[in-house]
Amino acid sequence: MSPKASALGTSLPHESGHLHVSGEARYVDDLPPPRGMLVAQALTSNVAHGFIRRLDVRRARVLPGVHAVLTAEDIPGHNDISPFARDEELLASSEVHCIGQSIALVVAESLELCRAGLARIEIDIEPLPAILSIEAARAAGSFLSNEHVIERGHLETAFAGAKLRLEGTVETGGQDHFYLETHASLVTPLEDRSFLVQSSTQHPSEVQAKVAEVLGLSSSAVVVECPRMGGGFGGKETQAANFAALAALGAHHTRRPVKVWLNRDQDMICTGKRHPFWSRFRAGFEADGRITALEVETYSDGGFSADLSKPVLDRALFHLDNAYFIPNLRFSGRVVRTHQPSNTAFRGFGGPQGMFVVEHVLNLAAERLGLDSAEIRERNFYGPAPRNLTPYGQEVTENRLARIHSELLESAEYRARQASIAAHNQSHRWKKRGLAFQPVKFGISFTNAMLNQAGALVNIFIDGSVQVNHGGTEMGQGLHTKMRVIAAHELGLPLSRIRLMTTATDKIPNTSATAASSGADLNGQAVRQACVTLRERLKEVACGLLEIPETERAGVIFEDGQVRHPASKMTVDFSALTVRAHRDQVSLSATGYYRTPNIHYDEAQGRGHPFHYFAYGGAVIEVEVNGFTGEHRLRRVDVLHDVGDSLVPSVDRGQIEGGFIQGLGWLTSEELVVAESGELRTHSPDTYKIPALGEAPPDFFVHLLERAPQPDVVHGSKAVGEPPFMLAIGVITALRQAILAYGSGAAELSLEIPATPEAVLRAIESRREPR
Amino acid sequence: MGYTAAMKELSFILNGHEVKERNVAPTTTLLQYLRQHLQLTGTKEGCAEGDCGACTVAVLDPHGEDGPTYRAINACLVLLPMMQGQTIVTVEGLKTGDQLHPVQQKLIEAFGSQCGYCTPGVVMSLFEACYRKDLDAEWKVDDQLCGNLCRCTGYRPIRESARSLAGRCPNDRFLEDLRQAESSERSVHYESEGELYLAPESFDALFDHLDTHPDVRLVAGGTDLSLEITKRFVRPKKLLSLEAIEALSEHRVEGDTWVVGAGVTLSRLERPAPKYAPALARMLRFFAARQIKNRATIGGNLCTASPIGDLAPVLLMLDAEFVLRSRAGERIVPSAEFFLSYRKTALRKKEIMSAVRIPILTAHAEHRLSAYKVSKRQELDISAVSAGLRVELEHGKVKRARFAFGGLAATPARASRLEAAVTGQPWTEASLEKALPALEQDYKPIDDHRGSAWYRMTIAKRLVLGFLLETESEPSPEHAYRPTGTVDPEASR
């Protein structure tokens, strides 16, 4: 049997799997220390808001083993690390805006000496009033953005005519990224005032720009490499620049390599998280559960600086509709400024927070109207025109919601299980179950059109082996695995001939962050294009080598490491072809470039086309709740997800399962407890509980929607990184149903997020004894 | 001095090679040593507190219940001198030439790594599982892995790998090492960078050291003490380890008492506990993670006297006694008199806990007992409330009650008012409901990030009620594989 012509669409191990399991995979902190390497630690603010009255580092500077103690005055360039708003200092110059903000940097021969140096710094911070909640920020008029409004239809008329009117508020909390690898950067000074930055970052180009800016250099003097990340999830999109710039500042002053690595507590205290949101809503429904009107006024906690808070808020607004057509609506949102670390990108990027609001509203309506979770959602799905227009005017195309709904409910035996759960709940006093259906529609593209571009550089060597460079970073999501398959497919080579190279800004310049689920879409097209360019060049060489007329060139095919012309039964090894190409003075190196067409959005009008397409998915979730303690468990989860024609199904499945469990953590166990001082109380896994192995459902069935190619995306595939996270919202719907089974109280069920055992018990108790 | 051979250097086997070390401070953790001194960077630091498992390595324990066995431990929670005489395997030591170990191969094939950062730790936990002979239930396999956090995969492939690897025990060089395993010199007298680490083999030597170094800190498994080093950057100048005293790590039955040496690790308790103290076995299922249980000792857990220590409520409930030993000899203190105030115990200066005496109680319809733990996350979490509950009945009325709780007060303590309130009363739901308010006189729990005072008090009451219901048909209930809650009042239906 001949080997399969292409690995495209087959399940493959992670590209670095063999390195992961043997401990050979290197992360920034694992790199061999360059000669003379120093380490650095920052003095950080211990007050949420304050004025630096005095900062004296002289005693620290004279400590043997300490090579430099640096403050804002020592920054040769601009004291700024913000992605665009110019509102975030690398080292606070006079005012501190959150606990954990860097004020000074000690560079020394060991972490212990750094700590000794830090202890010798004399600092006097005058505390100023701190704003620590959305509520307080709104009251104080503390905002980071203007109001963004999207509206259509006739809201008040629709409310007046609604059979069911609901109003209320809803809150979702923050979430720490808890990538297993904390932030790390190693900066080595090179010749002629240039620097090599090795950083655990999703955005090497931004790290490059910020390091250059802080040091007062041009970007060409800085090379940023990202070997791989031990997880990112959005937390290393903008926030890595901070620690790379600190290391660079140290390297600049000491002329020695400097590493900045955060321990877990530092990482959790100093860095931004998922945005907490607070929303007020009014909704109107028909008696059959169709939503006719929805007004949502939402506020996110941006922390102390803009960071990416505005685009996060925008995406929340773009996902307040989730999968549902809402004829009359007004969505408005604004980012508040508080004295917390600046909140940032996190898988879903506001999407989960927006979607949670409409799902909450649907839950309330279904509970009032006696509809089941699948029924009310299906009735509200986007459909054919005119029910295909999003609030911002983009058409919902390739709509797979109805298909997912029907296929999933059948495969998950939804109706039969619903009946058996009802019977179970009748006969069990202290254990109740709930079953929920959760659909997701998620817009794919950076909503900032400029970011939707990517580059690649593919080098073929004379021996026929290939190096693939692209602008994306590998954080575990399997991007390199997918890029390798695309290159192998286009060049007709076995995977073993394709090597993925460290992401580096001197290979691929001016890249966008690997974010917005877009890594494979954008970089895949660029890699593909570079490979196609090379293949076409090689075809011409092949014609010469195989003595085929130039007109027959289209008949030359590349597969299994060979180049064939079936018509003339001629075959040559790929490596023979590359030897010939080099001899013929044909370049074996090519770049590829891709930009997503037709992305635009007019915020003033609240109208546009911010997404290239939509990804869809659905989940059926069963939970059990213990009425004694509020503890709860997932019993079974069925997912049907639309990834188009999967490039690598094993990778996509991994993203779906991992995303779901991360969403589960956000909604049920991960709790950022902040003291009145603004201090984060849960800053390590001792107190901040992400799901452990036992939280994974015993039955976890994940299927990819079949026969679902996506037009205009590389090989018909679709983005998968973020959408599955939001499937976990259905856990809350299922929990509500189980809780409702405990009592017959007429009062509306109130369940706090995260739905910890304590929150669930409170909800059960409030149902039992109406208060 | 009581020790015989004053050791100037530490020696151990690391990935098949003998290592001798004399220049590293004794408060260096194994993780720091591997990464910074040996540049073995496969083992990762994810939290430095034993909660994530990224630093998991395996050590060979020649004294397993089923013979020699590998044990996964957190490299961040052991100090280098604790490795004296041990055989250590790190992720770098698993390949044979270019050949991956079956656990490595399986994890790749199961798509069990994404970012790869937790993976070396997962691999080493799987490595222990692979050579364990007692992973005969799915919950045990889950328990084996609950100390390895993964943020990427959602765990399904890891769980699948674990189930297929558990007990596979390939006939390879690692199995051969188990066959050849023998006890080694564990005593330590090591001094470097102005820090002293002592691990004597006899009580006499121990008490000599205590006389010579009145300022020495005692350490057993080190899982608690290491946190001071990794989290608060404290460097104790002098440490005195109990680890090399063999008598402390033995357990035996004396009549109707199970006598457990204070140095017995929690994982070694797991095998005999279901027979002699099923309530303790039940608590161990929700106690920390495998890596911690492989190092932490029963005596260590009790002597730290943490208000949220999980063993204390069970032992209080069982009317266990603690054997305290000094040069003068042994004295026996009832568990109810051991915990004096916040982190203060009845231990005197130059005295250690040497054993725990646990009455072997036979549960039956008139004598019911169980243990509970409620936490935000069921696996590897510190309890909001833990409880050991026991009633002796006579003609349907309570003759004696032992209700002990952790998490409700400054020490683990018995609920004497509630005990009094139920004594002499019928053991029924209605009667208990009337007595439960007495619990509010026993404890004034606090609000913190693990639970509010309301939650703690509510749960405490619920656990007593749940205990009543749960033990109606099963006087000493076992847990289902995946209980939805810590108490299952419907278990008998």
Side-chain angles (χ1 to χ4, degrees):
Chain A
M1 214 177 92
S2 70
K4 194 173 183 301
S6 163
L8 204 63
T10 59
S11 280
L12 299 166
H14 192 281
E15 171 261 349
S16 292
H18 60 299
L19 306 176
H20 296 154
V21 300
S22 58
E24 291 163 29
R26 275 188 184 157
Y27 304 78
V28 169
D29 191 44
D30 301 336
L31 298 168
R35 180 196 287 253
M37 185 184 84
L38 304 170
V39 292
Q41 290 270 294
L43 174 78
T44 57
S45 174
N46 58 4
V47 300
H49 185 205
F51 178 73
I52 304 171
R53 273 205 296 231
R54 194 172 78 92
L55 176 61
D56 186 344
V57 301
R58 284 171 300 179
R59 284 187 60 242
R61 277 187 176 142
V62 298
L63 189 69
V66 169
H67 288 244
V69 182
L70 306 167
T71 67
E73 288 170 7
D74 300 306
I75 294 171
H78 291 134
N79 185 7
D80 182 81
I81 46 157
S82 66
F84 52 81
R86 312 202 67 77
D87 61 352
E88 199 170 336
E89 289 182 331
L90 175 66
L91 295 172
S93 55
S94 62
E95 197 177 340
V96 287
H97 303 280
C98 71
I99 289 176
Q101 190 184 355
S102 298
I103 298 167
L105 187 75
V106 176
V107 188
E109 285 164 16
S110 70
L111 283 176
E112 203 164 17
L113 282 165
C114 284
R115 285 191 286 268
L118 289 173
R120 285 178 165 221
I121 295 178
E122 290 165 31
I123 185 161
D124 180 5
I125 302 179
E126 178 188 341
L128 297 171
I131 296 170
L132 294 167
S133 69
I134 292 175
E135 195 184 356
R138 286 179 61 209
S142 172
F143 294 102
L144 283 167
S145 78
N146 293 322
E147 195 174 48
H148 179 182
V149 178
I150 299 171
E151 54 191 333
R152 78 169 165 210
H154 306 280
L155 199 61
E156 295 308 327
T157 318
F159 277 130
K163 294 287 178 300
L164 171 67
R165 279 184 289 273
L166 297 169
E167 55 181 86
T169 61
V170 55
E171 269 180 272
T172 50
Q175 182 179 27
D176 188 78
H177 301 83
F178 210 90
Y179 25 66
L180 263 286
E181 179 211 19
T182 50
H183 276 285
S185 277
L186 168 59
V187 178
T188 306
L190 305 177
E191 292 178 349
D192 203 12
R193 295 194 71 219
S194 69
F195 293 85
L196 170 65
V197 179
Q198 290 162 305
S199 167
S200 180
T201 174
Q202 293 172 243
H203 201 344
S205 286
E206 188 166 283
V207 169
Q208 178 191 21
K210 297 317 290 189
V211 164
E213 194 181 325
V214 163
L215 298 186
L217 301 170
S218 58
S219 286
S220 64
V222 179
V223 173
V224 177
E225 291 180 358
C226 174
R228 63 167 56 73
M229 280 166 277
F233 314 113
K236 295 169 180 172
E237 184 171 344
T238 60
Q239 310 247 321
N242 188 345
F243 310 106
L246 286 175
L249 184 67
H252 168 87
H253 282 278
T254 61
R255 303 305 301 159
R256 282 169 69 162
V258 173
K259 179 155 76 181
V260 170
W261 170 85
L262 304 188
N263 65 35
R264 178 61 60 187
D265 303 82
Q266 291 170 328
D267 192 290
M268 288 190 72
I269 290 166
C270 298
T271 68
K273 311 194 186 324
R274 179 183 296 284
H275 290 70
F277 270 64
W278 180 92
S279 309
R280 178 165 34 218
F281 62 84
R282 275 201 302 160
F285 286 84
E286 298 284 11
D288 67 356
R290 279 201 196 208
I291 191 165
T292 53
L294 180 62
E295 180 182 38
V296 179
E297 180 190 353
T298 195
Y299 297 89
S300 72
D301 180 349
F304 81 89
S305 72
D307 190 89
L308 297 171
S309 296
K310 183 55 175 49
V312 166
L313 179 86
D314 293 345
R315 187 168 279 269
L317 295 179
F318 290 142
H319 287 83
L320 277 167
D321 60 337
N322 189 14
Y324 318 113
F325 177 70
I326 305 164
N328 305 287
L329 58 87
R330 185 179 196 275
F331 297 162
S332 63
R334 212 167 167 192
V335 183
V336 308
R337 181 178 188 277
T338 62
H339 294 102
Q340 294 281 359
S342 194
N343 286 321
T344 192
F346 194 147
R347 203 175 199 166
F349 204 76
Q353 295 97 314
M355 232 178 252
F356 190 86
V357 177
V358 70
E359 295 301 333
H360 178 69
V361 169
L362 287 177
N363 283 341
L364 296 183
E367 289 159 15
R368 285 281 198 93
L369 297 170
L371 294 171
D372 114 88
S373 69
E375 218 167 1
I376 193 167
R377 284 170 174 79
E378 194 247 342
R379 278 182 197 168
N380 283 295
F381 275 165
Y382 279 106
R387 290 179 58 85
N388 67 337
L389 272 193
T390 61
Y392 41 91
Q394 178 167 350
E395 282 183 22
V396 176
T397 56
E398 307 290 330
N399 182 345
R400 288 154 182 177
L401 291 164
R403 203 187 137 191
I404 287 172
H405 172 264
S406 64
E407 288 183 24
L408 178 62
L409 261 56
E410 192 179 327
S411 67
E413 303 169 288
Y414 184 87
R415 296 292 164 206
R417 284 166 61 203
Q418 201 173 33
S420 67
I421 284 170
H424 172 275
N425 289 349
Q426 279 294 318
S427 61
H428 289 76
R429 182 178 160 206
W430 295 111
K431 270 195 280 187
K432 307 283 189 189
R433 294 176 182 167
L435 185 71
F437 166 71
Q438 178 64 53
V440 162
K441 162 188 134 288
F442 192 77
I444 302 299
S445 288
F446 288 98
T447 52
N448 177 349
M450 172 188 82
L451 301 175
N452 296 291
Q453 54 178 323
L457 168 66
V458 176
N459 295 327
I460 304 177
F461 294 87
I462 297 168
D463 67 356
S465 62
V466 180
Q467 287 183 344
V468 173
N469 302 273
H470 60 88
T473 53
E474 175 63 42
M475 61 197 96
Q477 82 280 43
L479 180 60
H480 280 359
T481 313
K482 288 182 170 178
M483 297 304 99
R484 192 185 197 192
V485 164
I486 288 171
H489 175 82
E490 299 302 340
L491 297 173
L493 290 174
L495 293 170
S496 58
R497 300 282 281 279
I498 315 276
R499 187 178 286 267
L500 267 290
M501 305 307 291
T502 292
T503 309
T505 57
D506 58 346
K507 299 283 186 59
I508 313 296
N510 310 319
T511 54
S512 293
T514 307
S517 305
S518 68
D521 284 14
L522 299 176
N523 294 291
Q525 295 279 28
V527 167
R528 179 165 183 262
Q529 203 208 57
C531 291
V532 168
T533 300
L534 289 164
R535 194 179 63 205
E536 291 311 307
R537 276 186 212 155
L538 287 170
K539 273 189 184 173
E540 199 175 318
V541 179
C543 289
L545 193 64
L546 300 173
E547 296 174 348
I548 302 162
E550 187 67 14
T551 49
E552 290 285 307
R553 145 193 192 131
V556 175
I557 56 172
F558 289 62
E559 62 181 28
D560 298 338
Q562 299 197 313
V563 183
R564 298 197 183 98
H565 185 249
S568 59
K569 297 204 170 69
M570 299 289 285
T571 295
V572 64
D573 259 16
F574 185 82
S575 54
L577 190 59
T578 51
V579 169
R580 177 62 174 259
H582 187 63
R583 209 178 69 193
D584 288 357
Q585 296 171 296
V586 172
S587 166
L588 289 171
S589 175
T591 59
Y593 174 79
Y594 174 75
R595 64 169 175 266
T596 314
N598 195 28
I599 304 290
H600 54 87
Y601 181 71
D602 178 349
E603 181 169 329
Q605 299 298 316
R607 288 291 179 277
H609 190 276
F611 304 118
H612 188 37
Y613 63 90
F614 296 100
Y616 305 96
V620 168
I621 296 152
E622 183 181 336
V623 301
E624 185 171 277
V625 170
N626 180 304
F628 253 79
T629 58
E631 291 164 290
H632 49 83
R633 281 282 199 204
L634 286 178
R635 283 174 50 80
R636 174 174 164 181
V637 175
D638 293 70
V639 171
L640 181 59
H641 206 81
D642 166 27
V643 299
D645 281 349
S646 177
L647 293 169
V648 185
S650 52
V651 167
D652 287 342
R653 183 179 180 185
Q655 287 294 292
I656 292 166
E657 292 174 344
F660 183 91
I661 296 296
Q662 203 171 57
L664 173 77
W666 174 51
L667 293 167
T668 64
S669 67
E670 297 178 36
E671 211 170 6
L672 295 164
V673 180
V674 177
E676 272 177 33
S677 61
E679 184 192 354
L680 179 65
R681 284 275 159 82
T682 51
H683 52 75
S684 78
D686 161 30
T687 49
Y688 185 78
K689 307 313 274 190
I690 71 166
L693 182 127
E695 267 67 38
D699 288 316
F700 200 169
F701 304 110
V702 173
H703 296 285
L704 307 179
L705 193 70
E706 287 176 7
R707 304 175 312 283
Q710 183 67 26
D712 302 322
V713 185
V714 63
H715 294 297
S717 66
K718 286 179 97 153
V720 70
E722 293 164 294
F725 181 95
M726 284 149 276
L727 294 171
I729 294 173
V731 173
I732 297 301
T733 307
L735 282 173
R736 291 181 68 93
Q737 298 194 2
I739 293 165
L740 285 167
Y742 275 105
S744 50
E748 187 174 274
L749 170 60
S750 162
L751 174 63
E752 278 172 46
I753 305 297
T756 58
E758 174 165 352
V760 169
L761 189 68
R762 271 185 203 284
I764 293 173
E765 291 305 297
S766 71
R767 297 281 304 165
R768 276 222 193 86
E769 310 152 30
R771 281 182 273 211
Chain B
M1 302 294 278
Y3 53 89
T4 45
M7 300 169 40
K8 294 281 177 277
E9 61 185 13
L10 300 172
S11 72
F12 46 87
I13 309 282
L14 176 63
N15 294 332
H17 299 284
E18 191 172 351
V19 178
K20 295 201 183 293
E21 183 58 67
R22 62 169 76 217
N23 295 320
V24 170
T27 51
T28 306
T29 67
L30 175 60
L31 179 61
Q32 290 164 344
Y33 182 71
L34 291 172
R35 290 186 61 84
Q36 286 156 29
H37 295 261
L38 303 184
Q39 301 300 325
L40 286 175
T41 55
T43 308
K44 309 298 183 197
E45 175 174 328
C47 71
E49 62 184 34
D51 277 302
C52 81
C55 68
T56 304
V57 301
V59 292
L60 197 163
D61 176 3
H63 308 294
E65 299 287 312
D66 296 318
T69 186
Y70 290 105
R71 296 202 186 271
I73 62 169
N74 295 119
C76 71
L77 295 186
V78 290
L79 307 180
L80 197 63
M82 296 174 179
M83 292 295 101
Q84 165 60 33
Q86 303 244 40
T87 296
I88 309 162
V89 185
T90 73
V91 70
E92 289 95 344
L94 291 196
K95 271 164 73 167
T96 302
D98 280 341
Q99 188 71 38
L100 293 169
H101 187 276
V103 303
Q104 297 173 308
Q105 192 61 41
K106 176 66 202 174
L107 205 58
I108 294 176
E109 287 165 6
F111 316 114
S113 74
Q114 286 188 23
C115 85
Y117 209 78
C118 74
T119 311
V122 171
V123 163
M124 295 315 295
S125 284
L126 291 174
F127 177 79
E128 180 188 8
C130 191
Y131 296 92
R132 267 182 81 174
K133 296 175 184 131
D134 57 346
L135 286 174
D136 51 6
E138 286 187 342
W139 73 262
K140 292 183 185 173
V141 181
D142 281 9
D143 179 62
Q144 173 77 29
L145 267 299
C146 80
N148 291 91
L149 293 180
C150 167
R151 192 56 153 168
C152 297
T153 64
Y155 298 105
R156 185 203 48 83
I158 294 173
R159 180 187 269 158
E160 273 180 23
S161 301
R163 287 188 183 164
S164 91
L165 289 162
R168 188 192 281 188
C169 212
N171 192 4
D172 59 9
R173 62 190 171 95
F174 299 102
L175 185 66
E176 190 54 32
D177 285 348
L178 287 181
R179 291 194 186 113
Q180 307 283 331
E182 49 193 57
S183 300
S184 54
E185 169 80 27
R186 294 296 309 278
S187 70
V188 180
H189 186 114
Y190 178 75
E191 203 167 355
S192 183
E193 293 194 14
E195 295 173 9
L196 178 67
Y197 188 98
L198 303 163
E201 277 181 312
S202 70
F203 285 114
D204 282 346
L206 176 82
F207 295 122
D208 286 348
H209 286 318
L210 281 171
D211 286 340
T212 315
H213 308 285
D215 51 343
V216 76
R217 290 274 307 269
L218 284 165
V219 58
T223 53
D224 204 49
L225 179 117
S226 296
L227 297 176
E228 292 181 33
I229 295 166
T230 63
K231 292 274 152 168
R232 291 199 270 130
F233 311 112
V234 173
R235 302 268 301 262
K237 285 275 173 233
K238 294 177 181 176
L239 289 172
L240 178 54
S241 164
L242 304 171
E243 223 177 332
I245 302 176
E246 257 178 53
L248 288 176
S249 54
E250 288 164 359
H251 63 90
R252 64 185 179 280
V253 173
E254 282 178 10
D256 56 2
T257 303
W258 182 29
V259 183
V260 180
V264 175
T265 60
L266 301 179
S267 54
R268 285 193 59 218
L269 281 177
E270 283 176 340
R271 177 63 64 84
K275 193 168 167 193
Y276 304 125
L280 192 68
R282 192 168 153 142
M283 183 60 84
L284 287 171
R285 279 185 65 172
F286 301 104
F287 191 113
R290 183 79 189 162
Q291 293 93 317
I292 292 170
K293 284 190 272 198
N294 277 337
R295 282 291 307 170
T297 65
I298 183 171
N301 187 253
L302 295 168
C303 291
T304 58
S306 163
I308 34 93
D310 288 331
L311 295 185
V314 188
L315 296 171
L316 285 165
M317 173 271 282
L318 292 170
D319 286 330
E321 296 170 326
F322 302 150
V323 183
L324 309 185
R325 183 170 179 143
S326 63
R327 198 191 289 283
E330 289 186 341
R331 63 183 179 119
I332 291 178
V333 174
S335 51
E337 293 167 24
F338 184 71
F339 303 104
L340 302 181
S341 60
Y342 181 72
R343 297 226 177 230
K344 286 261 176 341
T345 69
L347 273 173
R348 293 172 188 153
K349 280 210 149 142
K350 302 185 190 177
E351 188 174 52
I352 62 155
M353 181 183 286
S354 60
V356 178
R357 298 176 59 87
I358 303 172
I360 301 171
L361 303 177
T362 312
H364 50 79
E366 301 275 271
H367 193 177
R368 307 173 187 180
L369 70 168
S370 193
Y372 303 98
K373 168 173 171 173
V374 178
S375 47
K376 198 179 284 182
R377 191 175 70 193
Q378 213 162 42
E379 291 80 12
L380 183 49
D381 197 357
I382 288 166
S383 51
V385 178
S386 57
L389 305 173
R390 177 161 71 96
V391 288
E392 288 176 42
L393 305 179
E394 204 169 60
H395 311 304
K397 289 191 174 165
V398 178
K399 190 172 106 189
R400 180 178 295 146
R402 287 286 181 271
F403 300 150
F405 290 90
L408 296 183
T411 65
R414 290 219 335 240
S416 53
R417 288 185 180 83
L418 181 62
E419 287 178 357
V422 299
T423 304
Q425 301 301 314
W427 187 237
T428 61
E429 210 176 323
S431 166
L432 178 59
E433 290 276 12
K434 266 185 251 160
L436 278 175
L439 205 57
E440 292 163 30
Q441 307 303 311
D442 281 313
Y443 304 115
K444 295 278 174 263
I446 56 159
D447 282 317
D448 72 5
H449 46 265
R450 295 198 175 93
S452 67
W454 171 84
Y455 186 62
R456 290 190 152 110
M457 183 50 74
T458 306
I459 288 299
K461 292 178 182 172
R462 285 298 178 75
L463 289 178
V464 186
L465 189 58
F467 166 66
L468 181 147
L469 295 171
E470 192 176 51
T471 54
E472 261 169 10
S473 60
E474 248 189 295
S476 176
E478 236 309 300
H479 246 318
Y481 157 51
R482 291 174 56 78
T484 298
T486 190
V487 58
D488 185 0
E490 296 172 3
S492 53
R493 293 177 200 185

